[in-house]
Amino acid sequence: MSASLSYTVPALKPSSKLQPKIHILEPDLAVLDYLRLTLGDKYCLNLFSEEQTLLDRLEQKEAPDLLLLAMHSNRDSLPLLTNIRCSKPNLPVIVLSCSAELRDLEMVIRLGVRAIVMKPFVGSDVEQAIEEHLSAVEKKVPAADALKEIPLNENHSFVRSSKRMRELESQASLVARADIPLLILGESGTGKEILALYTHKMSSRSQNIFLKVNCAAVPADLLESELFGYEQGAFTGAVKTKPGKFEVCSGGTIFLDEIGEMPAMLQAKLLQVLQDGTFSRLGSRSPMKVDVRVIAATNINMKEAMANKTFREDLYYRLNGFTLSIPPLRERKDEIPVLAEYFMRKSSKKYGREALPFSTALLNGLMEHSWPGNLRELENVVNRYLVLGEEKAILEELSPSTVYQGATAPVAAAAEPPNGAGLKAMVRSLKGDAESTAIAQVLEGVGWNRKAAANDLQISYKALLYKIKQYDLQPAPRDRA
């Protein structure tokens, strides 16, 4: 055999039905020849010994039914796997591995491979893994926690690969059919809008409009007219009648994001809409009736808001026909490789750039980051990696010691961890102290202008507010003359 190899082996035994097409990448030519002899009588094989030749074939021709991908301990194969997952997200992959290192295998599994067959092969290991996959496809039995990507519109998809998110998906599907108000809870950036859109798509209203209103982004004095519309002459500048979002959305779903920021005056009007579907435009005494499903979302603690009288209890219980709570990204880190690959594929298509692979070092950096900005922060990091094309800069950004470039003063000594604290707890404590000190220094440097501080720290405004609350940061007391 030659030093490099790429050729097709048609099934040796004739069959009445079309043979499954399988691509095999194996740099070891002796192993490749063994697989040809072992599998050649049942499948139509395309054999490759070089990565680029395989990538070229995948780009030029229709994807096969299955890819067998060999991973060797002397080379980092994760960039190749992430590259393939980006370009062919629906291509099933079985990994042939000679490494039993737990960390490597965990990362491969998180990237959505169907099976891992360890070398040296014993008996019919490889054939059994292939048949199990083909049998599951034939019976249409999906793997319980396999990657699932449901397109919602041109720009968004519902993506999940963990048991916890699969349960959330199942709950949302059930609630969608019930057509009751829905409250979605979760930190900023966890994907509350995506879950709301998914619920709408699974409901009987899916063919009608889905409309989002961010209650925190619209000034309080304009929010009422935005939601409920106004009559001509209702106020200065109202030169003609304008329908509100509830009218426009009749028959569909309205998504009220940041509902906890809604002014108390409007909460009473929203309560009436939820009770009997009626409201009046500004400047009108005639009630209007609409058929709108309300999905609300917030990142605040609703029980605290009710206790502080900033949110009406009766409105909360009306909105809370059912509650879905989205876990933060730090509590479902097993999904990070899959989500990073999804964001890379999405962004490369959006910006017309070739998708970049993720190395083991970069994936580990993503896995170890705390992600205060959740999915939104992860997408932004992936976008920066795509634009910069350099993973070193991203790794430095993810590193707790260098992520906040605005903080140049020495970090105060960390508080001594409690006796008996494990290594992980000690590291978390050190990172937390360093992070809080760095944020406090930047805030003091800009006179506690939060937007300016967020810009200097290169994080979102919401992420900064979360950190201020997490570390209970407050302006330093000023000396009075």
Side-chain angles (χ1 to χ4, degrees):
M1 298 175 92
S2 60
S4 98
L5 173 80
S6 170
Y7 63 91
T8 300
V9 182
L12 301 180
K13 291 183 180 178
S15 173
S16 58
K17 67 176 184 177
L18 195 63
Q19 294 287 348
K21 293 180 181 178
I22 299 177
H23 285 5
I24 303 177
L25 174 68
E26 172 55 78
D28 189 324
L29 300 185
V31 176
L32 197 60
D33 197 41
Y34 165 80
L35 292 171
R36 176 183 66 82
L37 294 172
T38 305
L39 306 174
D41 62 341
K42 293 191 68 173
Y43 314 107
C44 178
L45 305 179
N46 287 281
L47 308 178
F48 304 88
S49 63
E50 292 185 344
E51 294 180 0
Q52 192 56 52
T53 312
L54 168 66
L55 292 174
D56 291 342
R57 175 66 69 88
L58 288 174
E59 198 173 301
Q60 295 166 4
K61 296 195 176 184
E62 184 180 346
D65 298 298
L66 184 64
L67 170 64
L68 301 188
L69 183 65
M71 299 185 74
H72 290 257
S73 55
N74 61 348
R75 67 173 74 187
D76 187 358
S77 300
L78 285 179
L80 173 64
L81 181 56
T82 58
N83 191 332
I84 292 170
R85 298 289 294 145
C86 283
S87 61
K88 300 288 181 183
N90 297 318
L91 173 60
V93 178
I94 291 178
V95 163
L96 311 177
S97 176
C98 57
S99 170
E101 290 186 22
L102 185 60
R103 190 179 189 87
D104 293 342
L105 297 183
E106 282 180 341
M107 201 66 77
V108 165
I109 291 168
R110 284 171 179 152
L111 283 167
V113 303
R114 297 301 171 91
I116 299 173
V117 182
M118 300 302 298
K119 297 177 182 178
F121 307 132
V122 178
S124 58
D125 281 355
V126 179
E127 187 176 343
Q128 185 177 344
I130 293 171
E131 286 302 315
E132 284 178 0
H133 162 70
L134 295 175
S135 175
V137 170
E138 193 172 329
K139 295 176 182 176
K140 296 182 179 178
V141 179
D145 292 335
L147 168 66
K148 190 169 185 179
E149 183 177 324
I150 304 169
L152 301 176
N153 56 31
E154 291 182 0
N155 301 314
H156 300 98
S157 294
F158 180 83
V159 181
R160 63 91 172 145
S161 68
S162 68
K163 181 180 178 182
R164 194 164 177 185
M165 291 304 292
R166 175 166 57 91
E167 291 170 352
L168 198 61
E169 175 199 353
S170 178
Q171 291 172 351
S173 297
L174 291 172
V175 176
R177 303 188 197 108
D179 205 33
I180 57 176
L182 173 64
L183 181 62
I184 301 177
L185 305 177
E187 293 178 8
S188 179
T190 50
K192 296 187 289 296
E193 182 181 350
I194 297 297
L195 187 59
L197 184 54
Y198 171 75
T199 305
H200 169 72
K201 289 292 184 182
M202 295 296 108
S203 74
S204 59
R205 300 173 180 266
S206 60
Q207 299 305 311
N208 298 325
I209 190 170
F210 174 88
L211 221 167
K212 174 189 174 182
V213 178
N214 189 320
C215 300
V218 182
D221 55 343
L222 297 179
L223 186 57
E224 182 175 8
S225 61
E226 185 76 11
L227 290 174
F228 303 110
Y230 54 82
E231 296 287 349
Q232 182 179 354
F235 50 84
T236 303
V239 295
K240 62 178 182 179
T241 299
K242 178 189 173 184
K245 302 296 187 187
F246 272 94
E247 278 182 77
V248 173
C249 202
S250 189
T253 303
I254 190 166
F255 175 52
L256 302 177
D257 198 12
E258 305 292 356
I259 188 71
E261 306 293 332
M262 179 175 280
M265 175 188 68
L266 285 186
Q267 291 179 27
K269 199 162 184 177
L270 177 59
L271 178 62
Q272 183 181 349
V273 179
L274 290 168
Q275 285 175 335
D276 54 23
T278 64
F279 66 93
S280 298
R281 288 177 181 164
L282 276 173
S284 172
R285 294 183 179 179
S286 303
M288 304 185 67
K289 193 169 183 68
V290 290
D291 173 27
V292 175
R293 188 202 190 149
V294 176
I295 299 179
T298 184
N299 60 4
I300 70 168
N301 187 315
M302 294 297 278
K303 287 185 168 43
E304 282 185 11
M306 289 187 288
N308 295 332
K309 305 298 183 184
T310 58
F311 201 86
R312 296 177 61 119
E313 280 192 50
D314 48 3
L315 177 57
Y316 170 76
Y317 291 116
R318 275 287 176 182
L319 287 170
N320 190 17
F322 196 89
T323 298
L324 294 175
S325 296
I326 306 181
L329 189 55
R330 64 181 174 276
E331 292 181 10
R332 47 183 171 118
K333 285 194 171 184
D334 52 332
E335 290 196 312
I336 288 175
V338 167
L339 290 167
E341 173 264 316
Y342 162 71
F343 288 134
M344 174 60 72
R345 183 160 25 93
K346 174 184 172 184
S347 298
S348 63
K349 182 179 179 182
K350 178 180 178 181
Y351 299 117
R353 302 173 72 101
E354 189 171 337
L356 299 178
F358 293 89
S359 69
T360 302
L362 184 52
L363 282 173
N364 287 339
L366 295 175
M367 294 290 290
E368 290 168 4
H369 188 58
S370 59
W371 301 110
N374 293 292
L375 272 70
R376 189 178 295 122
E377 183 186 1
L378 175 60
E379 182 173 13
N380 289 338
V381 168
V382 172
N383 286 347
R384 285 196 288 278
Y385 174 45
L386 178 66
V387 171
L388 295 172
E390 183 188 358
E391 68 174 43
K392 182 181 177 183
I394 303 302
L395 286 168
E396 289 177 353
E397 177 185 336
L398 295 172
S399 171
S401 60
T402 58
V403 65
Y404 299 117
Q405 301 298 334
T408 55
V411 176
E416 192 172 322
N419 290 334
L423 178 60
K424 287 185 178 180
M426 294 169 67
V427 170
R428 279 197 300 270
S429 173
L430 290 167
K431 286 181 179 179
D433 285 332
E435 188 174 61
S436 63
T437 303
I439 294 172
Q441 288 168 350
V442 173
L443 284 165
E444 289 295 330
V446 296
W448 270 78
N449 183 321
R450 292 170 175 79
K451 289 189 177 179
N455 186 57
D456 287 349
L457 292 167
Q458 298 180 8
I459 60 176
S460 71
Y461 182 67
K462 287 287 181 67
L464 176 60
L465 295 182
Y466 170 81
K467 288 294 183 183
I468 290 173
K469 183 177 179 182
Q470 179 185 1
Y471 296 124
D472 193 24
L473 300 177
Q474 296 178 0
R478 308 293 179 189
D479 293 333
R480 295 186 180 180

